[in-house]
């Protein structure tokens, strides 16, 4: 910057120096000065040769985030200077920054065609391959770049390449290899005083440590990153570090700390007038309130995020917020509103061809349909989710979760053998990721598959392990789900008294988490335990309560069993005539469920088979 300032002092008409000053200020995060000097450069460029004029125009367009004008200026430069590698490289960077990876790769390859030992070109090709979802293909150009950087003793280049190799290994699910490269990159950056690079490496190291179950180390590195960003005065970097720290705090169940960090990030984005990142922060705040069970506050923030995303016309983030709103309404028991938001999210994702968002929203819809007892619709939605994730080929937490949910959807229609494959794949992936909460989730679904298949011994073992893993991971909802399943096993295996005590505790947990459906499940299975213990009067009161709740809220999945158990309670109390009314109602509900599912295997489910046998319905 001092050199460029000296040049402009010597010649106030030196437009290129003003342009280079502007670009330098932009790299320093001083956007106002960048725009000021870039404007002066443009004003002074009118009498310059065409090449210099287009160079200044291209730089000005990038500073002003005018993508189309920047592409146009570089396209003109490319015609004037067809053999200029820097022009090709700049065009590649422009396309890369705006997500057009195919065009970016084409221009970077032209740079390498002119000079196969262009370090920046090799690094750029590797980087684009990673962004394009092909990390394996990135290793060849990156390793060539690393050898070249060592040969040239280019320490900055070596650090940048090691960082990129770490990114490739991270995407290939090789966290230890990724961590080693990030640490080597950080060491070099510390030696050469590259503070901005240090912040980036610390961020990556912390994310790997978080994934490897080392939260204390991750927190330390996130805090170091934040301190560097504060020293640099990089407001956007500070906000990014705060958001990353927020995610770590969430995984540890420290929601108040996460909320504080995210609100600070939101204030920075508001000061920067960055609506896109404001929307992201608001969505994150909504997620924290959602995890705290404070659904009204969650919905308020999601709605604010939605308003901004609708203005910005970003289909990916718009679909994400709509899906989050759907999940919030679902937790609140407002199922029609939940479905409306899911359908909007799905439509947005399909129009954008976004397989990941299609998968996530379809998975959410499947859980809603399961609550409503629409097991056929649930299976179709879950299958769409699973197929999209398989096509993406990702090996992450999302893939494992979707696979587990698909296995459960198959089990819910009595296809127990078909459910084994996606559940086994999900467990293998969860274990490879070292995520105890995720392992607990998959074990819960495997346990319920065993329960529905009538294998109560296996179900009890799996659900007990799932609850333990979920508690260790600080995942209360997953722990609750596994606990309810374990209580159902206890009832089926003659331990109704133990189940009764457990379900009262679990109902309290569900209410404290705002889990309306799980709370209703606890009440239903408490009624089951009371019937098994011959406490018929108390059972009738409990089952009447859950039947009203389920009917009013649209929790149709609970009604056949509620009606059947009410009949059992009445018959046990000597009221056979009244019992028949409830048995008949249970039969009607079960037949409607079977008709919707269009499945010959639905009534093979142990819980539904008990009802079907009791009311005289045959499978098929």
């Amino acid at each position: 910057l001092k050199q460029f300032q000296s040049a402009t002092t010597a010649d106030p008409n030196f437009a290129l120096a003003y342009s280079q000053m502007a670009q330098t200020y932009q790299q320093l995060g001083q956007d106002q000065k960048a725009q000021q000097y870039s404007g002066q450069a443009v004003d002074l460029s009118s009498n310059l040769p065409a090449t210099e004029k287009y160079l200044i125009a291209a730089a000005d367009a990038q500073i002003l985030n005018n993508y189309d004008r920047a592409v146009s200026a570089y396209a003109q430069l490319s015609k004037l200077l067809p053999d200029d590698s820097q022009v090709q490289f700049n065009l590649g960077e422009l396309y890369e920054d705006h997500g057009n990876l195919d065009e970016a790769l084409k221009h970077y390859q032209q740079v390498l065609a002119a000079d196969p030992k262009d370090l920046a070109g090799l690094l750029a090709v590797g980087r684009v391959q990673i962004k394009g979802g092909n990390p394996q293909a990135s290793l060849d150009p990156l390793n060539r770049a690393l050898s070249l950087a060592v040969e040239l003793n280019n320490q900055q280049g070596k650090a940048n390449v090691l960082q990129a190799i770490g990114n490739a290994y991270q995407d290939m699910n090789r966290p230890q290899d990724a961590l080693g490269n990030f640490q080597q990159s950080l060491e070099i950056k510390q030696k050469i005083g590259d503070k901005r690079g240090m912040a980036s490496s610390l961020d990556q190291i912390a994310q790997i440590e978080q994934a490897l179950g080392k939260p204390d180390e991750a927190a330390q590195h996130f805090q170091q990153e934040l301190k560097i960003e504060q020293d640099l005065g990089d407001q956007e970097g500070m906000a990014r570090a705060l958001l990353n720290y927020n995610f770590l705090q969430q995984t540890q169940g420290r929601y108040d700390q996460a909320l504080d960090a995210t609100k600070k990030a939101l204030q920075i984005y508001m000061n920067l007038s960055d609506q896109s990142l404001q929307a992201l922060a608001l969505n994150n705040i909504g997620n924290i309130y959602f995890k705290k069970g404070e659904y009204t506050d969650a919905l308020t923030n999601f709605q604010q995020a939605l308003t901004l995303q609708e203005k910005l016309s970003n289909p990916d983030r718009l679909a994400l917020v709509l899906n989050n709103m759907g999940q919030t309404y679902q937790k609140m028991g407002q199922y029609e509103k939940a479905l409306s938001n899911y359908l909007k999210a799905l439509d947005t994702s399909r129009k954008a061809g976004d397989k990941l968002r299609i998968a996530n929203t379809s998975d959410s819809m499947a859980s809603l349909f399961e609550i409503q007892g629409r097991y056929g619709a649930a299976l179709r939605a879950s299958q769409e989710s699973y197929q999209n994730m398989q096509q993406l080929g990702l090996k992450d937490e999302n893939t494992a979760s979707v696979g587990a949910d698909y296995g459960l959807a198959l089990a819910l229609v009595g296809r127990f053998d078909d459910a084994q494959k996606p559940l086994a794949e999900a467990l293998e992936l969860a274990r490879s990721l070292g995520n105890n909460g995720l392992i607990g989730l998959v074990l819960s679904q495997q346990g319920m598959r065993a329960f529905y298949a009538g294998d109560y011994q296996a179900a009890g073992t799996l659900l007990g392990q799932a609850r333990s893993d979920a508690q260790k991971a600080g995942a209360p909802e997953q722990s609750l789900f596994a606990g309810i399943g374990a209580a159902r096993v206890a009832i089926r295996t003659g331990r109704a008294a133990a189940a009764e005590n457990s379900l009262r505790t679990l109902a309290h947990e569900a209410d404290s988490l705002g889990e309306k459906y799980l709370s209703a499940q606890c009440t239903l299975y408490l009624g089951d335990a009371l019937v098994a213990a011959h406490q018929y009067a108390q059972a009738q009161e409990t089952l009447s309560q859950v039947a009203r709740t389920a009917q009013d809220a649209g929790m149709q999945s609970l009604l056949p069993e509620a009606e059947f158990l009410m009949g059992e309670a009445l018959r046990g109390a000597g009221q056979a005539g009244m019992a028949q009314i409830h048995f008949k109602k249970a039969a009607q509900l079960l037949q409607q469920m079977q008709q919707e599912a269009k499945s010959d295997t639905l009534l093979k489910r142990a819980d539904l088979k008990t009802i079907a046998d009791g009311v005289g319905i045959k499978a098929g």
Side-chain angles (χ1 to χ4, degrees), residues 289-300:
Y289 280 123
F290 180 90
K291 290 178 179 178
K292 291 180 71 176
E294 298 175 12
Y295 299 123
T296 301
D297 288 332
L299 198 58
T300 298

Side-chain angles (χ1 to χ4, degrees), residues 133 165 248-249 302 322 341 424 438 489 492 539 576:
I165 293 173
L248 174 64
Q249 295 301 314
F302 287 142
L322 286 166
N341 279 276
L438 185 59
V489 172
R492 291 281 174 153

